[in-house]
Amino acid sequence: MITVALPKGRLLNDFMEYLEKQGLEHYSTGLDAKSRSLYTTVNDVKFIYAKGRDVPIYVENGSADIGIIGLDIITENEFNIMNVSRLPFGECHFSICGLPGVERFRTIATTFKNIAFQYFKQKRQQVSLIHLNGSVELAPLLGLADGIVDIVETGSTLRANGLIEYEKIMDVHARLIANRQTFYTKEDEIYPFLKEIGVFE
Ligand code: PRP
């Protein structure tokens, strides 16, 4: 049996929509967990529902053989995993955002401190970075920071809070990741699954 780590939230919904479009309802309905159970098994494939940030940790340690994760998470932190391929969903991007009328960003709130640090370093722009765990859009509204570096997907969170995008930093999409050992030792099980879901030829 192989174990697939999935990130709870938006990316899981995107993956289920993708499976549905591929006509793989047995997987999409099987994954549509209504209970609080953190795993499910479909066709001898065990799926675990993890926090997005923890997906690469389960894969790195071999608790999961493969995983689905946003490029944001594996760009922000380094993991000893195989970054196998791009998946055709989960498109969004990182931007610098703030209230209208900011002339120069001095303090930036973000959950992605390394991505923000690299970006401003490369622009040779000095800013203070404040780490927040989520809902970073609050920071400029409360005067904690004059800008944020955050993920924008539909733009509705920004609009709802009167914020605008100043500059796009990088594109993000979903990635297939794999454990460095079991991707080969369990290839007889992993490849047919990836082929079935249309990820590999
Ligand atoms: C992400 C991101 C933005 C929002 C953007 O947050 O941090 O807040 O989605 O999406 P939108 O452009 O479609 O509105 P998420 O919902 O994952 O929660 P978080 O704020 O706790 O990080």
Side-chain angles (χ1 to χ4, degrees), residues 8-25:
K8 288 193 280 187
R10 238 189 264 209
L11 213 45
L12 176 59
N13 292 334
D14 289 352
F15 180 49
M16 290 193 308
E17 258 175 45
Y18 165 81
L19 292 170
E20 227 170 274
K21 273 193 221 148
Q22 300 285 310
L24 298 165
E25 280 88 6

Side-chain angles (χ1 to χ4, degrees), residues 22 24 26-27 43 45 191-200:
Q22 300 285 310
L24 298 165
H26 52 296
Y27 283 123
N43 280 9
V45 178
Y191 277 45
F193 168 69
L194 293 177
K195 203 173 164 190
E196 186 188 3
I197 66 167
V199 170
F200 275 10

Side-chain angles (χ1 to χ4, degrees), residues 10 53 111-112 133-137 150-158:
R10 238 189 264 209
R53 272 157 219 282
T111 310
F112 297 87
N133 291 304
S135 301
V136 292
E137 291 84 356
D150 200 19
I151 284 171
V152 181
E153 190 173 332
T154 61
S156 51
T157 310
L158 292 178

Side-chain angles (χ1 to χ4, degrees), residues 105-117:
F105 289 105
R106 288 185 171 78
T107 311
I108 294 284
T110 186
T111 310
F112 297 87
K113 248 181 141 176
N114 292 333
I115 289 173
F117 176 80

Side-chain angles (χ1 to χ4, degrees), residues 115-140:
I115 289 173
F117 176 80
Q118 287 304 331
Y119 177 76
F120 287 108
K121 185 179 160 196
Q122 164 237 316
K123 289 202 82 174
R124 295 172 192 277
Q125 200 176 324
Q126 255 206 329
V127 297
S128 307
L129 297 174
I130 299 176
H131 181 267
L132 291 176
N133 291 304
S135 301
V136 292
E137 291 84 356
L138 273 175

Side-chain angles (χ1 to χ4, degrees), residues 19-38:
L19 292 170
E20 227 170 274
K21 273 193 221 148
Q22 300 285 310
L24 298 165
E25 280 88 6
H26 52 296
Y27 283 123
S28 55
T29 48
L31 289 178
D32 199 1
K34 298 274 186 297
S35 75
R36 296 283 296 167
S37 176
L38 294 173

Side-chain angles (χ1 to χ4, degrees), residues 4-7 11-12 14-16 18-19 22 55 66-71 74 83-92 172-178 193-195 197-200:
V4 182
L6 300 175
L11 213 45
L12 176 59
D14 289 352
F15 180 49
M16 290 193 308
Y18 165 81
L19 292 170
Q22 300 285 310
V55 165
I66 54 176
I68 290 177
I69 193 59
L71 180 62
I74 52 174
N83 185 350
V84 181
S85 62
R86 182 183 179 138
L87 295 170
F89 51 86
E91 276 90 14
C92 52
V172 173
H173 55 262
R175 306 282 312 175
L176 173 73
I177 59 171
F193 168 69
L194 293 177
K195 203 173 164 190
I197 66 167
V199 170
F200 275 10

